[in-house]
Amino acid sequence: QVQFVESGGGLVQPGGSLRLSCVASGNIFSRYHMAWYRQAPGKEREAVARVFLGDVTDYAPSVKGRFAISRDNAKNTVYLQMNSLKPEDTAVYHCNTVPVTNAYWGQGTQVTVSS
């Protein structure tokens, strides 16, 4: 069974950077479009960055120019480089397929942006 394991979150000051990683237990990245999703308390989950087969990427307007998604199929890993972080980026970040596969949700990684 496929499982995603996210890591790299933490507490960072506004303007800081973090790099998130998502590793899959199975070799699936080469077969799926992938995305990073986030959910803040009291808000709905949103896709913030997507990477499609062929490495085309797109971003939510709120993170465009600050976040960068990439994939390494050989390492079964998807990354999210987050720069110029803002307090409103605070959320639990998950990776999943596009569209989502509910059975694949992992624990996520908490990102907190605060001074």
Side-chain angles (χ1 to χ4, degrees):
Q1 181 175 346
V2 173
Q3 182 177 7
F4 291 140
V5 179
E6 300 93 346
S7 63
L11 173 64
V12 63
Q13 292 187 342
S17 298
L18 286 173
R19 189 192 194 205
L20 307 184
S21 299
C22 169
V23 180
S25 58
N27 183 17
I28 72 164
F29 286 150
S30 61
R31 295 185 280 122
Y32 286 93
H33 308 307
M34 294 295 300
W36 281 94
Y37 301 85
R38 70 183 180 188
Q39 187 164 21
K43 295 187 177 181
E44 293 201 358
R45 184 175 60 225
E46 63 170 336
V48 296
R50 301 185 294 181
V51 57
F52 299 95
L53 296 171
D55 291 335
V56 174
T57 58
D58 68 9
Y59 300 90
S62 60
V63 307
K64 194 170 186 178
R66 301 188 296 121
F67 290 12
I69 187 172
S70 60
R71 64 196 298 163
D72 187 333
N73 293 338
K75 294 183 178 180
N76 298 326
T77 304
V78 175
Y79 304 97
L80 185 68
Q81 178 66 44
M82 305 187 296
N83 300 323
S84 303
L85 283 161
K86 304 176 180 180
E88 51 264 43
D89 295 320
T90 295
V92 178
Y93 285 71
H94 296 262
C95 68
N96 207 309
T97 56
V98 180
V100 301
T101 304
N102 284 322
Y104 291 172
W105 289 114
Q107 293 299 309
T109 185
Q110 175 71 47
V111 171
T112 303
V113 185
S114 175
S115 56

